[in-house]
Amino acid sequence: MFDFLSNYNDPSFLGAFWMTVKLTVLSAIGSLIWGTLLAAMRVSPVPLMRGFGTAYVNLVRNIPLTVIIVFTSLGLADIFGMTMGAPDDFKLQGFRLAILGFVAYTAAFVCEALRSGINTVPVGQAEAARAIGLSFTQVLSLIVLPQAFRAVIGPLANVLIALTKNTTVAAAIGVAEAAYLMKGMIEKEAQTLLIGAIFAFGFVVLTLPTGLILGWLSKRLAVKR
Amino acid sequence: MSSVLYDAPGPRAKRRNAILTVVFFVLLALLLWWVWRTMDDKNQLEWKLWEPFTTSEIWTTYLLPGLADTLKAAGLAMVIALPLGALFGIARLSDHRWVRGVAGTVVEFFRAIPVLLLMLFANEVYVRSTDISSEDRPLYAVVTGLVLYNASVLAEVVRAGILALPKGQTEAAQAIGLRKGQTMGTILLPQAVTVMLPAIVSQLVVIVKDTALGGVMLGFTELLNSRQTLAAFYANVVPSFIVVAIIYIVLNFIITTFASWLEGRLRRGKKSTGAVIPAAAVGGTTATGGEGGGVPGLGTYIQKQGP
């Protein structure tokens, strides 16, 4: 029944899902860093930085991810010659370009989640902290950020799950991940329903534990007010 | 101005902020200059690449038909997904455990799967077991994928909307002798729809963005796909991307603004219970293919206003 799976070697079934996992993890790390920087800009006392952060978030999240990913390939790579350090290896280049696109897009949502976390901390706490003489860095690292991070585990989990599903868009520029393999398989094999089911199952396996673990964690760590 | 992070600035803080502003301005200017230079180097600023966009021909031949298809698919998906979502949302609140269980499983299943897989799957099913013409097939496949995914998201919105209503509504309905179906149909659902309108409207942004998947993967002639035909004809890849991105941004900005205007209006409304599901609660402003997992649940986002 599952014989046809072994007919595919480039990518193989597990190889394709491994690619999905790699895309997800690397993009998640990248967008967490860039998203945190954006969030820092959006809450900074400098109006110009706030303006840049706001503009970035509002522009990027209204552009379809598909447009961004296709642009990295047709625009950045083909026209601007951005090879991402892999001028001869098109597979690797596509992989890195896709991650660049995912980071640019997902960071906007990470930023919004973090910013809402900072907003959950009551202003009075910071005022009290300043009143007892804590410096800005101390207020930030001892009072605000610990509470903010605990508040945004849930929203960040949603962003991560959305990112996992969004990595399928990389198929649009030929990155051999799950959706790419499914498209090839489903066109060649007769068992449409079975193939659909195993790929669906693959994504349930990837997203369900993420949601459950982080959901449990966010409940456990939430600051009760 | 006072926030959690910083106090009203004194003389030292003012000086520091001024320095930061200058440094950031210089960095930003350098970045923009670099982008401009790179574009110039690759001859992307030449007027002949941009000029077509000032003619009506490019709009009537490529961009507007593409936009029309994007809107058609998004509109159809929303219209079909809404009643379906309402049905499943209500089913998840059923008193019968098996109805709850089945509806819950279906909803969680379709939320866990990428929209692209649903579209590819639907396309192949239509190829094999229906005689929809190959011209119409991409539209059918895109709409099917969007409906399956968004109905399950909307189901959660509907459920949250009903749960957001004060309990007294149900109790009063029961007290005057309405049956369960009547309570749902005449008391809860109409109010829930109002409560969740902003969230429903902002879900449209997600749907509009997701139609682009059909353009690349299934050859659906929406905006992104029209861009490709356009760029092949005028040889202006980068400008065409920029123009198409701007169209998407403007379109989605209008939808988002409308959603938050609606939210503000509903919050101020005297007749409502004051419960509103904010536009930002759904994937609407959150992601392509929206949010998944559904573990934290929409319920956590619901805000109620005081009397």
Side-chain angles (χ1 to χ4, degrees):
Chain A
M1 185 179 174
F2 293 102
D3 295 343
F4 64 90
L5 280 180
S6 54
N7 295 340
Y8 293 83
N9 288 319
D10 190 33
S12 66
F13 180 71
L14 286 178
F17 269 101
W18 176 232
M19 182 60 99
T20 299
V21 172
K22 275 197 293 188
L23 283 172
T24 309
V25 172
L26 292 175
S27 309
I29 296 169
S31 46
L32 196 62
I33 296 169
W34 178 221
T36 311
L37 281 174
L38 280 172
M41 284 185 214
R42 286 206 76 174
V43 297
S44 84
V46 181
L48 190 66
M49 285 184 173
R50 285 206 302 271
F52 174 79
T54 314
Y56 182 93
V57 167
N58 284 324
L59 291 183
V60 168
R61 69 176 175 184
N62 279 328
I63 303 175
L65 176 62
T66 321
V67 173
I68 296 175
I69 296 295
V70 175
F71 177 76
T72 60
S73 174
L74 297 182
L76 292 182
D78 289 359
I79 305 278
F80 294 113
M82 204 174 199
T83 53
M84 302 297 284
D88 302 319
D89 188 345
F90 286 106
K91 277 186 178 173
L92 190 62
Q93 189 181 318
F95 173 71
R96 290 184 181 167
L97 285 168
I99 291 178
L100 183 73
F102 290 132
V103 169
Y105 181 80
T106 314
F109 299 98
V110 171
C111 165
E112 285 309 88
L114 288 177
R115 197 173 63 104
S116 69
I118 291 174
N119 285 341
T120 62
V121 182
V123 181
Q125 292 206 10
E127 284 168 353
R130 282 195 287 263
I132 58 169
L134 296 189
S135 72
F136 175 78
T137 330
Q138 285 173 318
V139 176
L140 198 63
S141 60
L142 296 175
I143 313 283
V144 178
L145 278 187
Q147 295 189 62
F149 270 111
R150 286 165 66 173
V152 294
I153 294 174
L156 279 183
N158 279 342
V159 174
L160 181 61
I161 289 167
L163 172 65
T164 313
K165 295 189 289 172
N166 284 343
T167 54
T168 52
V169 180
I173 58 168
V175 178
E177 45 68 68
Y180 180 88
L181 178 62
M182 175 171 152
K183 188 173 158 64
M185 237 184 223
I186 212 169
E187 279 161 6
K188 281 186 213 111
E189 306 290 335
Q191 294 142 306
T192 316
L193 207 62
L194 179 66
I195 296 173
I198 54 176
F199 278 93
F201 177 73
F203 273 94
V204 173
V205 167
L206 286 183
T207 55
L208 208 62
T210 319
L212 288 177
I213 293 168
L214 289 175
W216 172 79
L217 210 63
S218 78
K219 269 195 198 112
R220 231 189 98 103
L221 294 180
V223 181
K224 306 279 186 297
R225 295 191 208 285
Chain B
M1 190 167 64
S2 178
S3 88
V4 188
L5 292 178
Y6 47 89
D7 217 334
R12 264 179 63 196
K14 270 184 188 153
R15 219 177 312 134
R16 203 180 52 222
N17 287 351
I19 293 170
L20 274 172
T21 307
V22 172
V23 169
F24 191 70
F25 179 81
V26 170
L27 286 176
L28 203 60
L30 275 176
L31 178 75
L32 287 176
W33 182 74
W34 175 74
V35 169
W36 188 263
R37 265 281 310 278
T38 318
M39 283 187 71
D40 201 26
D41 277 356
K42 305 286 175 186
N43 303 320
Q44 293 303 313
L45 294 173
E46 281 174 28
W47 178 237
K48 78 171 202 285
L49 297 185
W50 293 87
E51 199 216 339
F53 294 104
T54 58
T55 62
S56 66
E57 196 188 335
I58 203 170
W59 291 88
T60 51
T61 320
Y62 302 103
L63 293 172
L64 291 180
L67 181 62
D69 264 5
T70 292
L71 293 176
K72 189 162 84 181
L76 274 174
M78 186 51 121
V79 169
I80 303 171
L82 203 52
L84 211 61
L87 192 71
F88 275 96
I90 293 170
R92 284 198 86 170
L93 293 168
S94 165
D95 290 338
H96 307 286
R97 184 185 292 172
W98 64 273
V99 176
R100 269 203 318 265
V102 169
T105 314
V106 171
V107 167
E108 293 300 339
F109 178 72
F110 283 111
R111 286 209 308 165
I113 300 171
V115 190
L116 180 55
L117 292 197
L118 294 173
M119 285 181 188
L120 290 173
F121 181 74
N123 189 49
E124 205 53 32
V125 168
Y126 289 143
V127 169
R128 278 165 204 243
S129 43
T130 61
D131 48 3
I132 299 169
S133 73
S134 57
E135 271 166 53
D136 294 337
R137 206 189 300 126
L139 174 68
Y140 276 73
V142 167
V143 171
T144 311
L146 289 175
V147 163
L148 289 177
Y149 176 73
N150 289 287
S152 61
V153 173
L154 289 172
E156 289 301 277
V157 177
V158 169
R159 188 166 75 116
I162 291 171
L163 290 176
L165 296 172
K167 214 171 161 232
Q169 302 271 347
T170 316
E171 288 166 356
Q174 280 165 353
I176 57 171
L178 294 186
R179 274 177 276 116
K180 271 197 299 195
Q182 289 175 314
T183 312
M184 189 57 81
T186 57
I187 311 280
L188 296 181
L189 203 54
Q191 290 189 80
V193 168
T194 333
V195 164
M196 65 205 187
L197 259 183
I200 291 174
V201 172
S202 72
Q203 183 66 17
L204 260 175
V205 173
V206 173
I207 301 184
V208 165
K209 291 199 293 183
D210 281 352
T211 55
L213 281 172
V216 186
M217 301 300 286
L218 301 173
F220 177 45
T221 53
E222 47 70 71
L223 201 48
L224 182 60
N225 191 297
S226 313
R227 184 216 63 80
Q228 197 176 358
T229 339
L230 178 161
F233 188 76
Y234 293 97
N236 55 355
V237 175
V238 174
S240 70
F241 264 111
I242 294 176
V243 170
V244 163
I246 292 173
I247 297 178
Y248 275 114
I249 290 169
V250 171
L251 178 65
N252 289 334
F253 179 76
I254 293 172
I255 299 174
T256 317
T257 313
F258 178 64
S260 53
W261 172 81
L262 206 61
E263 192 186 325
R265 212 188 126 95
L266 290 176
R267 267 192 213 289
R268 286 194 307 273
K270 290 201 176 65
K271 281 181 189 163
S272 79
T273 55
V276 179
I277 299 185
V282 236
T285 45
T286 310
T288 271
E291 295 177 83
V295 174
L298 277 162
T300 46
Y301 293 104
I302 295 165
Q303 298 164 2
K304 284 195 183 185
Q305 233 183 9

